[in-house]
Amino acid sequence: MTRKIINRKFLLFLSLIMALAGFAQEPVSDDSEPTVEEEKEDAVREELVDENFEKIRDLKFDYGKMGNVFTAVASLDLKEEFKEPDYEILNGIDFKDLDGKKAGALDLVVWDNKKKEAAKVFLVKASANFPRALKIGEKQVNLFKTMLEDRDIGDMDSRNYPFRVFRVYEFRNIDHFGIIGLKGAVEKGWEREVDLTRDEAMALQRLIVHGKDEDEEADPES
């Protein structure tokens, strides 16, 4: 009788050990792993990248900076809304203090050709940290507004338009300041977004700077 009890306890103990061993071998699920839907959403849309490549590669932007890829695509969106010949979309307008030191830049300016002045200004933020990027953008807008109201802006110019003269008074009647984010910004409460992820912008930047064959492996038989 005693031997049966001992054997029964031993079998229970052995079963417990085997169960624990099996649990240890079972892979632990990682909640941070992307779902199938998320993987599809985050995948680089090659057709979109190629389409934008053809549209922006010859525009006046320094594509050594990835943020300018977003700004270039955003400028095309604005051109669809503010059409020529009534409007012109300018980019990279610097404003300087009274000592001639650069204080900031206006990424995109909707220029009213009839009134010959700036109508709207947009900053473009290429960060996936939406709250922080929005806060930085708002701070930059407020800096420009304050310097304009206090008459602390000494000069405005752009290397993209070397033969064009911009005067401070041409920026005094701006009726709207906006901030444009990357894909997903509108869901976070932003006004506008560029339909590009950071990965897509990086792929687009590589195409423009290095050409279409940069990522292709050389043929070993060639």
Side-chain angles (χ1 to χ4, degrees):
M1 184 69 175
T2 303
R3 183 176 298 176
K4 288 183 179 180
I5 294 174
I6 294 174
N7 288 340
R8 187 177 301 169
K9 289 183 178 180
F10 176 77
L11 289 174
L12 289 172
F13 177 76
L14 184 60
S15 299
L16 179 61
I17 293 297
M18 291 177 67
L20 290 174
F23 177 78
Q25 293 174 359
E26 185 178 337
V28 179
S29 62
D30 183 1
D31 292 336
S32 64
E33 287 291 327
T35 64
V36 174
E37 290 76 15
E38 289 172 338
E39 288 180 349
K40 289 181 180 178
E41 183 178 344
D42 293 337
V44 172
R45 294 167 290 177
E46 299 291 349
E47 291 184 1
L48 181 65
V49 171
D50 290 340
E51 179 183 339
N52 280 310
F53 169 73
E54 297 298 335
K55 290 180 178 179
I56 74 170
R57 62 178 175 175
D58 296 324
L59 299 183
K60 295 178 181 179
F61 287 89
D62 174 13
Y63 291 118
K65 301 176 181 179
M66 192 184 68
N68 285 341
V69 174
F70 286 99
T71 305
V73 176
S75 73
L76 297 181
D77 293 340
L78 291 177
K79 284 182 180 180
E80 288 296 316
E81 184 174 347
F82 303 97
K83 298 182 181 296
E84 297 179 342
D86 294 336
Y87 296 99
E88 181 181 3
I89 308 301
L90 307 178
N91 69 82
I93 309 296
D94 297 332
F95 58 96
K96 303 175 181 179
D97 61 21
L98 298 177
D99 295 325
K101 182 179 179 181
K102 180 179 176 179
L106 308 178
D107 295 331
L108 294 171
V109 175
V110 178
W111 189 266
D112 189 322
N113 285 326
K114 291 182 178 180
K115 296 180 178 180
K116 296 182 179 180
E117 64 181 16
K120 304 178 188 297
V121 166
F122 294 92
L123 300 186
V124 181
K125 294 301 169 189
S127 171
N129 188 335
F130 294 118
R132 182 173 182 273
L134 187 60
K135 187 177 295 185
I136 291 174
E138 290 172 342
K139 184 177 180 180
Q140 292 172 330
V141 167
N142 290 332
L143 172 64
F144 176 74
K145 286 182 176 180
T146 300
M147 291 185 66
L148 195 63
E149 291 172 0
D150 294 344
R151 300 186 180 276
D152 287 335
I153 297 178
D155 191 20
M156 303 192 71
D157 59 27
S158 173
R159 66 179 64 182
N160 296 326
Y161 314 95
F163 303 108
R164 188 164 178 170
V165 177
F166 295 100
R167 297 173 176 83
V168 178
Y169 69 80
E170 295 172 331
F171 293 80
R172 293 197 178 279
N173 295 320
I174 296 170
D175 60 30
H176 180 75
F177 289 86
I179 304 174
I180 305 173
L182 51 77
K183 187 176 186 295
V186 172
E187 290 183 359
K188 302 296 182 180
W190 290 45
E191 173 190 357
R192 292 172 179 261
E193 70 180 35
V194 177
D195 186 22
L196 278 178
T197 64
R198 285 186 64 86
D199 286 344
E200 289 165 349
M202 290 173 64
L204 182 52
Q205 181 188 36
R206 285 196 299 269
L207 284 181
I208 297 172
V209 176
H210 301 291
K212 284 182 173 295
D213 299 329
E214 187 218 26
D215 294 328
E216 294 181 2
E217 295 182 0
D219 185 348
E221 297 181 1
S222 61

PDB file of all heavy atoms in Angstrom, residues 61-93:
ATOM      1  N   PHE A  61      15.179  71.486 -54.677  1.00  0.00           N
ATOM      2  CA  PHE A  61      15.309  71.073 -53.284  1.00  0.00           C
ATOM      3  C   PHE A  61      16.664  70.404 -53.095  1.00  0.00           C
ATOM      4  O   PHE A  61      17.183  69.753 -54.015  1.00  0.00           O
ATOM      5  CB  PHE A  61      14.203  70.086 -52.893  1.00  0.00           C
ATOM      6  CG  PHE A  61      12.842  70.704 -52.734  1.00  0.00           C
ATOM      7  CD1 PHE A  61      11.982  70.804 -53.813  1.00  0.00           C
ATOM      8  CD2 PHE A  61      12.428  71.197 -51.502  1.00  0.00           C
ATOM      9  CE1 PHE A  61      10.728  71.368 -53.683  1.00  0.00           C
ATOM     10  CE2 PHE A  61      11.173  71.770 -51.362  1.00  0.00           C
ATOM     11  CZ  PHE A  61      10.315  71.853 -52.448  1.00  0.00           C
ATOM     12  N   ASP A  62      17.213  70.557 -51.900  1.00  0.00           N
ATOM     13  CA  ASP A  62      18.446  69.863 -51.537  1.00  0.00           C
ATOM     14  C   ASP A  62      18.063  68.492 -50.998  1.00  0.00           C
ATOM     15  O   ASP A  62      17.721  68.349 -49.822  1.00  0.00           O
ATOM     16  CB  ASP A  62      19.210  70.665 -50.484  1.00  0.00           C
ATOM     17  CG  ASP A  62      20.441  69.919 -49.960  1.00  0.00           C
ATOM     18  OD1 ASP A  62      20.825  68.900 -50.581  1.00  0.00           O
ATOM     19  OD2 ASP A  62      21.006  70.354 -48.938  1.00  0.00           O
ATOM     20  N   TYR A  63      18.156  67.460 -51.834  1.00  0.00           N
ATOM     21  CA  TYR A  63      17.713  66.141 -51.435  1.00  0.00           C
ATOM     22  C   TYR A  63      18.752  65.383 -50.607  1.00  0.00           C
ATOM     23  O   TYR A  63      18.552  64.212 -50.293  1.00  0.00           O
ATOM     24  CB  TYR A  63      17.305  65.332 -52.661  1.00  0.00           C
ATOM     25  CG  TYR A  63      16.041  65.860 -53.307  1.00  0.00           C
ATOM     26  CD1 TYR A  63      16.047  66.341 -54.609  1.00  0.00           C
ATOM     27  CD2 TYR A  63      14.847  65.906 -52.597  1.00  0.00           C
ATOM     28  CE1 TYR A  63      14.891  66.838 -55.196  1.00  0.00           C
ATOM     29  CE2 TYR A  63      13.691  66.406 -53.167  1.00  0.00           C
ATOM     30  CZ  TYR A  63      13.719  66.873 -54.472  1.00  0.00           C
ATOM     31  OH  TYR A  63      12.570  67.367 -55.040  1.00  0.00           O
ATOM     32  N   GLY A  64      19.830  66.071 -50.243  1.00  0.00           N
ATOM     33  CA  GLY A  64      20.748  65.483 -49.274  1.00  0.00           C
ATOM     34  C   GLY A  64      20.122  65.436 -47.888  1.00  0.00           C
ATOM     35  O   GLY A  64      20.581  64.706 -47.015  1.00  0.00           O
ATOM     36  N   LYS A  65      19.049  66.215 -47.698  1.00  0.00           N
ATOM     37  CA  LYS A  65      18.297  66.229 -46.445  1.00  0.00           C
ATOM     38  C   LYS A  65      16.966  65.525 -46.672  1.00  0.00           C
ATOM     39  O   LYS A  65      16.190  65.926 -47.545  1.00  0.00           O
ATOM     40  CB  LYS A  65      18.056  67.667 -45.987  1.00  0.00           C
ATOM     41  CG  LYS A  65      19.339  68.456 -45.757  1.00  0.00           C
ATOM     42  CD  LYS A  65      19.021  69.891 -45.393  1.00  0.00           C
ATOM     43  CE  LYS A  65      20.292  70.702 -45.193  1.00  0.00           C
ATOM     44  NZ  LYS A  65      19.996  72.123 -44.867  1.00  0.00           N
ATOM     45  N   MET A  66      16.720  64.475 -45.888  1.00  0.00           N
ATOM     46  CA  MET A  66      15.514  63.687 -46.111  1.00  0.00           C
ATOM     47  C   MET A  66      14.243  64.498 -45.906  1.00  0.00           C
ATOM     48  O   MET A  66      13.230  64.271 -46.558  1.00  0.00           O
ATOM     49  CB  MET A  66      15.496  62.452 -45.203  1.00  0.00           C
ATOM     50  CG  MET A  66      14.407  61.459 -45.597  1.00  0.00           C
ATOM     51  SD  MET A  66      14.281  60.066 -44.479  1.00  0.00           S
ATOM     52  CE  MET A  66      13.662  60.885 -43.009  1.00  0.00           C
ATOM     53  N   GLY A  67      14.282  65.468 -44.989  1.00  0.00           N
ATOM     54  CA  GLY A  67      13.107  66.288 -44.757  1.00  0.00           C
ATOM     55  C   GLY A  67      12.647  67.008 -46.006  1.00  0.00           C
ATOM     56  O   GLY A  67      11.453  67.273 -46.182  1.00  0.00           O
ATOM     57  N   ASN A  68      13.594  67.311 -46.899  1.00  0.00           N
ATOM     58  CA  ASN A  68      13.237  68.010 -48.127  1.00  0.00           C
ATOM     59  C   ASN A  68      12.493  67.113 -49.103  1.00  0.00           C
ATOM     60  O   ASN A  68      11.818  67.603 -50.015  1.00  0.00           O
ATOM     61  CB  ASN A  68      14.489  68.582 -48.790  1.00  0.00           C
ATOM     62  CG  ASN A  68      15.004  69.816 -48.078  1.00  0.00           C
ATOM     63  OD1 ASN A  68      14.266  70.451 -47.331  1.00  0.00           O
ATOM     64  ND2 ASN A  68      16.257  70.145 -48.273  1.00  0.00           N
ATOM     65  N   VAL A  69      12.623  65.794 -48.948  1.00  0.00           N
ATOM     66  CA  VAL A  69      11.834  64.874 -49.766  1.00  0.00           C
ATOM     67  C   VAL A  69      10.359  65.053 -49.435  1.00  0.00           C
ATOM     68  O   VAL A  69       9.502  65.169 -50.319  1.00  0.00           O
ATOM     69  CB  VAL A  69      12.277  63.416 -49.537  1.00  0.00           C
ATOM     70  CG1 VAL A  69      11.356  62.453 -50.279  1.00  0.00           C
ATOM     71  CG2 VAL A  69      13.718  63.216 -49.986  1.00  0.00           C
ATOM     72  N   PHE A  70      10.051  65.086 -48.128  1.00  0.00           N
ATOM     73  CA  PHE A  70       8.667  65.316 -47.694  1.00  0.00           C
ATOM     74  C   PHE A  70       8.180  66.693 -48.158  1.00  0.00           C
ATOM     75  O   PHE A  70       7.040  66.836 -48.611  1.00  0.00           O
ATOM     76  CB  PHE A  70       8.564  65.232 -46.173  1.00  0.00           C
ATOM     77  CG  PHE A  70       8.643  63.841 -45.626  1.00  0.00           C
ATOM     78  CD1 PHE A  70       9.825  63.358 -45.104  1.00  0.00           C
ATOM     79  CD2 PHE A  70       7.546  63.003 -45.628  1.00  0.00           C
ATOM     80  CE1 PHE A  70       9.913  62.069 -44.589  1.00  0.00           C
ATOM     81  CE2 PHE A  70       7.608  61.721 -45.122  1.00  0.00           C
ATOM     82  CZ  PHE A  70       8.800  61.256 -44.600  1.00  0.00           C
ATOM     83  N   THR A  71       9.048  67.697 -48.031  1.00  0.00           N
ATOM     84  CA  THR A  71       8.655  69.057 -48.394  1.00  0.00           C
ATOM     85  C   THR A  71       8.360  69.165 -49.881  1.00  0.00           C
ATOM     86  O   THR A  71       7.404  69.844 -50.283  1.00  0.00           O
ATOM     87  CB  THR A  71       9.768  70.045 -48.013  1.00  0.00           C
ATOM     88  OG1 THR A  71      10.083  69.901 -46.615  1.00  0.00           O
ATOM     89  CG2 THR A  71       9.335  71.478 -48.250  1.00  0.00           C
ATOM     90  N   ALA A  72       9.153  68.486 -50.698  1.00  0.00           N
ATOM     91  CA  ALA A  72       8.928  68.526 -52.145  1.00  0.00           C
ATOM     92  C   ALA A  72       7.580  67.910 -52.513  1.00  0.00           C
ATOM     93  O   ALA A  72       6.828  68.465 -53.324  1.00  0.00           O
ATOM     94  CB  ALA A  72      10.060  67.800 -52.870  1.00  0.00           C
ATOM     95  N   VAL A  73       7.266  66.751 -51.910  1.00  0.00           N
ATOM     96  CA  VAL A  73       5.979  66.100 -52.195  1.00  0.00           C
ATOM     97  C   VAL A  73       4.833  66.971 -51.675  1.00  0.00           C
ATOM     98  O   VAL A  73       3.797  67.105 -52.331  1.00  0.00           O
ATOM     99  CB  VAL A  73       5.929  64.697 -51.561  1.00  0.00           C
ATOM    100  CG1 VAL A  73       4.554  64.056 -51.784  1.00  0.00           C
ATOM    101  CG2 VAL A  73       7.019  63.806 -52.165  1.00  0.00           C
ATOM    102  N   ALA A  74       5.030  67.579 -50.500  1.00  0.00           N
ATOM    103  CA  ALA A  74       3.998  68.462 -49.954  1.00  0.00           C
ATOM    104  C   ALA A  74       3.757  69.662 -50.868  1.00  0.00           C
ATOM    105  O   ALA A  74       2.624  70.140 -50.995  1.00  0.00           O
ATOM    106  CB  ALA A  74       4.402  68.936 -48.561  1.00  0.00           C
ATOM    107  N   SER A  75       4.813  70.151 -51.507  1.00  0.00           N
ATOM    108  CA  SER A  75       4.658  71.298 -52.409  1.00  0.00           C
ATOM    109  C   SER A  75       3.768  70.945 -53.599  1.00  0.00           C
ATOM    110  O   SER A  75       2.996  71.784 -54.085  1.00  0.00           O
ATOM    111  CB  SER A  75       6.031  71.780 -52.898  1.00  0.00           C
ATOM    112  OG  SER A  75       6.595  70.887 -53.838  1.00  0.00           O
ATOM    113  N   LEU A  76       3.854  69.695 -54.048  1.00  0.00           N
ATOM    114  CA  LEU A  76       2.996  69.258 -55.160  1.00  0.00           C
ATOM    115  C   LEU A  76       1.527  69.212 -54.732  1.00  0.00           C
ATOM    116  O   LEU A  76       0.631  69.560 -55.508  1.00  0.00           O
ATOM    117  CB  LEU A  76       3.445  67.885 -55.660  1.00  0.00           C
ATOM    118  CG  LEU A  76       4.852  67.795 -56.243  1.00  0.00           C
ATOM    119  CD1 LEU A  76       5.134  66.378 -56.710  1.00  0.00           C
ATOM    120  CD2 LEU A  76       5.026  68.779 -57.398  1.00  0.00           C
ATOM    121  N   ASP A  77       1.300  68.782 -53.487  1.00  0.00           N
ATOM    122  CA  ASP A  77      -0.077  68.769 -52.963  1.00  0.00           C
ATOM    123  C   ASP A  77      -0.648  70.183 -52.904  1.00  0.00           C
ATOM    124  O   ASP A  77      -1.821  70.407 -53.247  1.00  0.00           O
ATOM    125  CB  ASP A  77      -0.101  68.139 -51.565  1.00  0.00           C
ATOM    126  CG  ASP A  77       0.243  66.656 -51.588  1.00  0.00           C
ATOM    127  OD1 ASP A  77       0.131  66.033 -52.662  1.00  0.00           O
ATOM    128  OD2 ASP A  77       0.632  66.117 -50.522  1.00  0.00           O
ATOM    129  N   LEU A  78       0.181  71.138 -52.478  1.00  0.00           N
ATOM    130  CA  LEU A  78      -0.283  72.518 -52.399  1.00  0.00           C
ATOM    131  C   LEU A  78      -0.544  73.099 -53.790  1.00  0.00           C
ATOM    132  O   LEU A  78      -1.473  73.892 -53.979  1.00  0.00           O
ATOM    133  CB  LEU A  78       0.746  73.378 -51.660  1.00  0.00           C
ATOM    134  CG  LEU A  78       0.895  73.105 -50.158  1.00  0.00           C
ATOM    135  CD1 LEU A  78       1.993  73.979 -49.570  1.00  0.00           C
ATOM    136  CD2 LEU A  78      -0.415  73.342 -49.422  1.00  0.00           C
ATOM    137  N   LYS A  79       0.266  72.688 -54.770  1.00  0.00           N
ATOM    138  CA  LYS A  79       0.063  73.182 -56.137  1.00  0.00           C
ATOM    139  C   LYS A  79      -1.277  72.727 -56.702  1.00  0.00           C
ATOM    140  O   LYS A  79      -1.861  73.407 -57.545  1.00  0.00           O
ATOM    141  CB  LYS A  79       1.199  72.698 -57.036  1.00  0.00           C
ATOM    142  CG  LYS A  79       2.500  73.459 -56.844  1.00  0.00           C
ATOM    143  CD  LYS A  79       3.575  72.973 -57.804  1.00  0.00           C
ATOM    144  CE  LYS A  79       4.867  73.760 -57.596  1.00  0.00           C
ATOM    145  NZ  LYS A  79       5.937  73.296 -58.534  1.00  0.00           N
ATOM    146  N   GLU A  80      -1.742  71.568 -56.246  1.00  0.00           N
ATOM    147  CA  GLU A  80      -3.049  71.094 -56.695  1.00  0.00           C
ATOM    148  C   GLU A  80      -4.177  71.945 -56.131  1.00  0.00           C
ATOM    149  O   GLU A  80      -5.242  72.083 -56.745  1.00  0.00           O
ATOM    150  CB  GLU A  80      -3.240  69.630 -56.269  1.00  0.00           C
ATOM    151  CG  GLU A  80      -2.397  68.639 -57.035  1.00  0.00           C
ATOM    152  CD  GLU A  80      -2.768  68.599 -58.506  1.00  0.00           C
ATOM    153  OE1 GLU A  80      -3.980  68.593 -58.806  1.00  0.00           O
ATOM    154  OE2 GLU A  80      -1.852  68.582 -59.355  1.00  0.00           O
ATOM    155  N   GLU A  81      -3.924  72.519 -54.962  1.00  0.00           N
ATOM    156  CA  GLU A  81      -4.953  73.326 -54.297  1.00  0.00           C
ATOM    157  C   GLU A  81      -4.854  74.804 -54.671  1.00  0.00           C
ATOM    158  O   GLU A  81      -5.876  75.471 -54.871  1.00  0.00           O
ATOM    159  CB  GLU A  81      -4.827  73.159 -52.776  1.00  0.00           C
ATOM    160  CG  GLU A  81      -5.886  73.873 -51.987  1.00  0.00           C
ATOM    161  CD  GLU A  81      -5.805  73.566 -50.498  1.00  0.00           C
ATOM    162  OE1 GLU A  81      -5.078  72.612 -50.126  1.00  0.00           O
ATOM    163  OE2 GLU A  81      -6.469  74.274 -49.717  1.00  0.00           O
ATOM    164  N   PHE A  82      -3.632  75.301 -54.736  1.00  0.00           N
ATOM    165  CA  PHE A  82      -3.400  76.713 -55.063  1.00  0.00           C
ATOM    166  C   PHE A  82      -2.729  76.767 -56.430  1.00  0.00           C
ATOM    167  O   PHE A  82      -1.506  76.719 -56.548  1.00  0.00           O
ATOM    168  CB  PHE A  82      -2.532  77.369 -53.985  1.00  0.00           C
ATOM    169  CG  PHE A  82      -3.105  77.258 -52.602  1.00  0.00           C
ATOM    170  CD1 PHE A  82      -2.681  76.255 -51.750  1.00  0.00           C
ATOM    171  CD2 PHE A  82      -4.088  78.131 -52.172  1.00  0.00           C
ATOM    172  CE1 PHE A  82      -3.202  76.129 -50.466  1.00  0.00           C
ATOM    173  CE2 PHE A  82      -4.627  78.021 -50.899  1.00  0.00           C
ATOM    174  CZ  PHE A  82      -4.189  77.021 -50.042  1.00  0.00           C
ATOM    175  N   LYS A  83      -3.543  76.879 -57.443  1.00  0.00           N
ATOM    176  CA  LYS A  83      -3.078  76.684 -58.812  1.00  0.00           C
ATOM    177  C   LYS A  83      -2.517  77.949 -59.450  1.00  0.00           C
ATOM    178  O   LYS A  83      -2.915  79.068 -59.117  1.00  0.00           O
ATOM    179  CB  LYS A  83      -4.238  76.148 -59.671  1.00  0.00           C
ATOM    180  CG  LYS A  83      -4.767  74.783 -59.222  1.00  0.00           C
ATOM    181  CD  LYS A  83      -5.873  74.291 -60.128  1.00  0.00           C
ATOM    182  CE  LYS A  83      -6.420  72.946 -59.681  1.00  0.00           C
ATOM    183  NZ  LYS A  83      -5.409  71.885 -59.753  1.00  0.00           N
ATOM    184  N   GLU A  84      -1.612  77.718 -60.381  1.00  0.00           N
ATOM    185  CA  GLU A  84      -1.107  78.796 -61.210  1.00  0.00           C
ATOM    186  C   GLU A  84      -2.198  79.208 -62.207  1.00  0.00           C
ATOM    187  O   GLU A  84      -3.071  78.396 -62.519  1.00  0.00           O
ATOM    188  CB  GLU A  84       0.138  78.327 -61.979  1.00  0.00           C
ATOM    189  CG  GLU A  84       1.297  77.948 -61.078  1.00  0.00           C
ATOM    190  CD  GLU A  84       2.504  77.455 -61.865  1.00  0.00           C
ATOM    191  OE1 GLU A  84       2.324  77.088 -63.060  1.00  0.00           O
ATOM    192  OE2 GLU A  84       3.603  77.438 -61.315  1.00  0.00           O
ATOM    193  N   PRO A  85      -2.219  80.432 -62.696  1.00  0.00           N
ATOM    194  CA  PRO A  85      -1.230  81.484 -62.456  1.00  0.00           C
ATOM    195  C   PRO A  85      -1.526  82.360 -61.242  1.00  0.00           C
ATOM    196  O   PRO A  85      -0.769  83.276 -60.946  1.00  0.00           O
ATOM    197  CB  PRO A  85      -1.322  82.306 -63.739  1.00  0.00           C
ATOM    198  CG  PRO A  85      -2.780  82.211 -64.113  1.00  0.00           C
ATOM    199  CD  PRO A  85      -3.198  80.819 -63.733  1.00  0.00           C
ATOM    200  N   ASP A  86      -2.625  82.062 -60.537  1.00  0.00           N
ATOM    201  CA  ASP A  86      -2.984  82.908 -59.396  1.00  0.00           C
ATOM    202  C   ASP A  86      -1.989  82.764 -58.251  1.00  0.00           C
ATOM    203  O   ASP A  86      -1.708  83.732 -57.529  1.00  0.00           O
ATOM    204  CB  ASP A  86      -4.386  82.563 -58.893  1.00  0.00           C
ATOM    205  CG  ASP A  86      -5.465  82.904 -59.903  1.00  0.00           C
ATOM    206  OD1 ASP A  86      -5.210  83.793 -60.754  1.00  0.00           O
ATOM    207  OD2 ASP A  86      -6.544  82.301 -59.863  1.00  0.00           O
ATOM    208  N   TYR A  87      -1.465  81.545 -58.079  1.00  0.00           N
ATOM    209  CA  TYR A  87      -0.566  81.287 -56.958  1.00  0.00           C
ATOM    210  C   TYR A  87       0.728  80.616 -57.428  1.00  0.00           C
ATOM    211  O   TYR A  87       0.787  80.022 -58.509  1.00  0.00           O
ATOM    212  CB  TYR A  87      -1.240  80.377 -55.929  1.00  0.00           C
ATOM    213  CG  TYR A  87      -2.458  80.983 -55.277  1.00  0.00           C
ATOM    214  CD1 TYR A  87      -3.742  80.660 -55.723  1.00  0.00           C
ATOM    215  CD2 TYR A  87      -2.329  81.875 -54.219  1.00  0.00           C
ATOM    216  CE1 TYR A  87      -4.872  81.204 -55.122  1.00  0.00           C
ATOM    217  CE2 TYR A  87      -3.444  82.425 -53.612  1.00  0.00           C
ATOM    218  CZ  TYR A  87      -4.712  82.097 -54.071  1.00  0.00           C
ATOM    219  OH  TYR A  87      -5.823  82.640 -53.476  1.00  0.00           O
ATOM    220  N   GLU A  88       1.720  80.711 -56.563  1.00  0.00           N
ATOM    221  CA  GLU A  88       3.010  80.065 -56.777  1.00  0.00           C
ATOM    222  C   GLU A  88       3.439  79.459 -55.440  1.00  0.00           C
ATOM    223  O   GLU A  88       3.255  80.073 -54.388  1.00  0.00           O
ATOM    224  CB  GLU A  88       4.030  81.097 -57.254  1.00  0.00           C
ATOM    225  CG  GLU A  88       5.406  80.542 -57.537  1.00  0.00           C
ATOM    226  CD  GLU A  88       6.367  81.641 -57.979  1.00  0.00           C
ATOM    227  OE1 GLU A  88       5.962  82.830 -58.009  1.00  0.00           O
ATOM    228  OE2 GLU A  88       7.537  81.306 -58.256  1.00  0.00           O
ATOM    229  N   ILE A  89       4.006  78.269 -55.475  1.00  0.00           N
ATOM    230  CA  ILE A  89       4.474  77.630 -54.250  1.00  0.00           C
ATOM    231  C   ILE A  89       5.984  77.792 -54.155  1.00  0.00           C
ATOM    232  O   ILE A  89       6.735  77.240 -54.966  1.00  0.00           O
ATOM    233  CB  ILE A  89       4.094  76.133 -54.200  1.00  0.00           C
ATOM    234  CG1 ILE A  89       2.595  75.957 -54.450  1.00  0.00           C
ATOM    235  CG2 ILE A  89       4.497  75.541 -52.850  1.00  0.00           C
ATOM    236  CD1 ILE A  89       1.707  76.673 -53.458  1.00  0.00           C
ATOM    237  N   LEU A  90       6.410  78.571 -53.176  1.00  0.00           N
ATOM    238  CA  LEU A  90       7.841  78.804 -52.955  1.00  0.00           C
ATOM    239  C   LEU A  90       8.325  77.925 -51.809  1.00  0.00           C
ATOM    240  O   LEU A  90       7.545  77.502 -50.962  1.00  0.00           O
ATOM    241  CB  LEU A  90       8.091  80.269 -52.620  1.00  0.00           C
ATOM    242  CG  LEU A  90       7.523  81.301 -53.602  1.00  0.00           C
ATOM    243  CD1 LEU A  90       7.802  82.713 -53.097  1.00  0.00           C
ATOM    244  CD2 LEU A  90       8.099  81.101 -54.994  1.00  0.00           C
ATOM    245  N   ASN A  91       9.631  77.668 -51.771  1.00  0.00           N
ATOM    246  CA  ASN A  91      10.160  76.840 -50.675  1.00  0.00           C
ATOM    247  C   ASN A  91      11.494  77.372 -50.165  1.00  0.00           C
ATOM    248  O   ASN A  91      12.253  78.013 -50.906  1.00  0.00           O
ATOM    249  CB  ASN A  91      10.318  75.383 -51.140  1.00  0.00           C
ATOM    250  CG  ASN A  91      11.425  75.210 -52.159  1.00  0.00           C
ATOM    251  OD1 ASN A  91      12.595  75.103 -51.830  1.00  0.00           O
ATOM    252  ND2 ASN A  91      11.054  75.190 -53.427  1.00  0.00           N
ATOM    253  N   GLY A  92      11.731  77.109 -48.884  1.00  0.00           N
ATOM    254  CA  GLY A  92      13.011  77.443 -48.273  1.00  0.00           C
ATOM    255  C   GLY A  92      13.291  78.928 -48.169  1.00  0.00           C
ATOM    256  O   GLY A  92      14.379  79.394 -48.530  1.00  0.00           O
ATOM    257  N   ILE A  93      12.324  79.690 -47.644  1.00  0.00           N
ATOM    258  CA  ILE A  93      12.524  81.127 -47.448  1.00  0.00           C
ATOM    259  C   ILE A  93      13.090  81.360 -46.050  1.00  0.00           C
ATOM    260  O   ILE A  93      12.437  81.081 -45.044  1.00  0.00           O
ATOM    261  CB  ILE A  93      11.202  81.910 -47.612  1.00  0.00           C
ATOM    262  CG1 ILE A  93      10.508  81.540 -48.920  1.00  0.00           C
ATOM    263  CG2 ILE A  93      11.474  83.408 -47.528  1.00  0.00           C
ATOM    264  CD1 ILE A  93      11.266  81.911 -50.160  1.00  0.00           C
TER     265      ILE A  93
END
